[in-house]
Amino acid sequence: MLQVSFLRQNRDLAKKKLAIKHFAQPNLVDTVIDLDDERKQLQASFDETQAKVNSASKEIGALMAKGDKEKAEATKTDVGEWKKQLEPLKEKMAQVEIDLQNVLVQFPNLPHDLVPLGKSPEENVLVREGGVTPKLHPGAEAHWDLIKKYNLVDFETGAKITGSGFPLYIGKGAKFQRALVQYFLDFNTAAGYTEYLPPFMVNAASAFATGQLPDKEGQMYHATEDDFYLIPTAEVPVTNVFRDVVLKETDLPIQMTAYSPCFRREAGSFGKDVRGLNRVHQFEKVEIIQIVHPDKSDEVLNEMVVHVEKLLVSLGLPYRILRLCGGDMGFASAITYDFEVYSAAQERWLEVSSVSNFAAYQTYRMKCRFKDGAGKIQFAHSLNGSSLALPRIFAALVENYQTEAGIALPKVLQSYFGAEKLI
RNA sequence: AGAGAGGUGUCCGAGUGGUUUAAGGAGCACGCUUGGAAAGCGUGUAUACGGCAACGUAUCGGGGGUUCGAAUCCCUUCCUCUCUGCCA
């Protein structure tokens, strides 16, 4: 959420930056300031009257103690009058606060200066690429054929059990998932991240804090009986560890990693992107999350990008890193780098990780602050990234490592999987 | 799931309608004291909003209510603990 004080001081800059994110109603910035002015005014007169009530009430107490009942009763009448004035003020103030909040939550985060202009994925900027695209043998197949051929994943039975997009991993397919999760977690903890295993459902306050509510309500599965949401990413529960917390400056940076299944309704998706493991409703992911000093978040973002890059290099997959343009970025992000791996069999790039700096957008919503050296309270910055999401990594690995004899494995995974090759 | 007991500041803990302006203790910070430390003494030690400031307002798990006045009474909700039940 954007801070009113920032919007107040940077009215035009905010509008300009919102335009980069293709936000349709830049004039809401003015609305916010007007509402905030009104709120201030209402509070001033409310506080003033309330102060009179408070001190008169105390006086009544003193008068009663002295036994001066008559004067006490007279003061009660005065208080009654003031309280009548208070009622409408209170109501108006509550309404203005709701209105203000309703407008504020509509603003996406402002883009970082490095974010390129653009509307669609074609306008993302290629930062760098690496790895070598393998030369596959003739007759090489896409993962949806390979997993059928080797009985690694059964979509039909998953659909029978639950519905489409809920894959059933079997045998070596299931074990491979476990091996990947284990490898990714070990890789992250070796770099200093602390491992968490969070709840897989969250309450509305948590979903709101990281920005899923109200923006992406329709994308989450909702358990209405208890009003819990199935998490779309471990980012939601893990970032919320620090909701409503005032940290010490020396606690920063906080580095966390977590495995979780992710549940996404993916309402509105269609087309060839949804084939096989390219887009599913439930998948496994290992996430990295950091909460850092605001002066450090740019630098930390780059470190996280390099971290994920190293992980991809270790898997021997051809990859590229893109800086997303304003139109392709997420709602809460200030700057995002997407990682894609090349699927040699599908002959297309698959997004496998997204690393973002949220600046103070999430931390302001969730009131995650720290006390700096001077004793001043500041909002921390939050960042996160996938390290890594499994389905498309799985797809790219089986496609790129396929041979006529079976499917090989990158060296780093052999000990985790307990064999030299997958098949 | 049923019955009961609870939730107070950084922590422990007192507080059943009015100088509570949340006692007292511990911790922490600073100062005094000391050769240095400990002890002792003194001072300070939550957050948000409004205000240039003085200060005001709100917050005793959350929300609502009663009252001139609520940590305290009432309703509701969440959480923790104990017992019982059920269950991996």
Side-chain angles (χ1 to χ4, degrees), chain A residues 88-332:
Chain A
L89 277 176
K90 201 170 153 188
E91 266 168 49
K92 231 190 230 168
M93 203 157 66
Q95 190 54 52
V96 168
E97 259 160 40
I98 290 166
D99 292 347
L100 181 59
Q101 189 73 5
N102 285 344
V103 179
L104 272 179
V105 296
Q106 292 178 46
F107 291 115
N109 200 359
L110 300 179
H112 190 279
D113 288 339
L114 288 173
V115 170
L117 298 174
K119 227 170 184 163
S120 63
E122 290 74 44
E123 290 164 278
N124 295 336
V125 172
L126 178 66
V127 177
R128 59 180 175 270
E129 43 192 328
V132 181
T133 307
K135 277 225 166 68
L136 298 184
H137 60 87
E141 296 167 277
H143 73 271
W144 47 81
D145 292 324
L146 291 166
I147 58 181
K148 209 167 225 174
K149 181 161 145 195
Y150 296 118
N151 195 29
L152 300 173
V153 186
D154 179 348
F155 285 103
E156 287 75 17
T157 306
K160 181 181 83 175
I161 299 166
T162 306
S164 80
F166 288 89
L168 174 71
Y169 295 84
I170 302 171
K172 287 178 172 176
K175 186 175 183 185
F176 193 41
Q177 293 289 303
R178 178 155 57 89
L180 286 166
V181 167
Q182 188 91 328
Y183 172 58
F184 293 164
L185 283 170
D186 284 350
F187 187 88
N188 295 340
T189 54
Y193 291 87
T194 301
E195 183 175 344
Y196 286 71
L197 184 61
F200 299 151
M201 290 200 231
V202 295
N203 55 33
S206 294
F208 176 81
T210 38
Q212 272 69 32
L213 289 180
D215 182 51
K216 287 180 226 158
E217 171 139 37
Q219 296 297 338
M220 284 189 294
Y221 290 97
H222 188 191
T224 51
E225 180 89 19
D226 295 287
D227 197 20
F228 293 154
Y229 293 88
L230 273 75
I231 58 172
T233 158
E235 163 200 341
V236 180
V238 174
T239 312
N240 271 281
V241 168
F242 294 98
R243 170 151 56 87
D244 290 321
V245 170
V246 180
L247 293 155
K248 288 187 255 173
E249 188 165 10
T250 49
D251 293 335
L252 304 175
I254 287 164
Q255 302 179 288
M256 301 177 281
T257 184
Y259 151 76
S260 86
C262 303
F263 304 93
R264 299 186 182 182
R265 296 187 60 226
E266 302 291 2
S269 305
F270 58 91
K272 64 179 182 202
D273 281 4
V274 304
R275 189 111 193 249
L277 286 166
N278 287 354
R279 191 177 293 280
V280 286
H281 291 306
Q282 180 186 320
F283 61 94
E284 322 293 299
K285 180 161 65 63
V286 175
E287 187 81 356
I288 49 175
I289 295 116
Q290 292 211 39
I291 293 177
V292 306
H293 192 289
D295 294 347
K296 294 276 164 63
S297 68
D298 285 340
E299 184 186 327
V300 168
L301 178 66
N302 290 332
E303 285 167 19
M304 287 171 75
V305 166
V306 169
H307 176 80
V308 173
E309 183 174 13
K310 278 188 195 155
L311 185 51
L312 283 175
V313 167
S314 79
L315 294 174
L317 292 172
Y319 67 92
R320 66 181 188 186
I321 304 173
L322 304 167
R323 187 186 296 136
L324 298 193
C325 71
D328 200 28
M329 283 169 65
F331 187 75

Side-chain angles (χ1 to χ4, degrees), chain A residues 53-66:
Chain A
V53 170
N54 285 348
S55 68
S57 294
K58 238 176 254 177
E59 216 175 286
I60 291 170
L63 289 168
M64 299 285 254
K66 261 199 290 182

Side-chain angles (χ1 to χ4, degrees), chain A residues 1 109-110 210 216 235 239 287 290 297 301 330-336 354-363 380-385:
Chain A
M1 199 151 64
N109 200 359
L110 300 179
T210 38
K216 287 180 226 158
E235 163 200 341
T239 312
E287 187 81 356
Q290 292 211 39
S297 68
L301 178 66
F331 187 75
S333 169
I335 179 166
T336 297
S354 190
V355 181
S356 303
N357 182 0
F358 297 88
Y361 192 87
Q362 291 181 329
T363 53
H381 279 191
S382 68
L383 307 95
N384 68 54

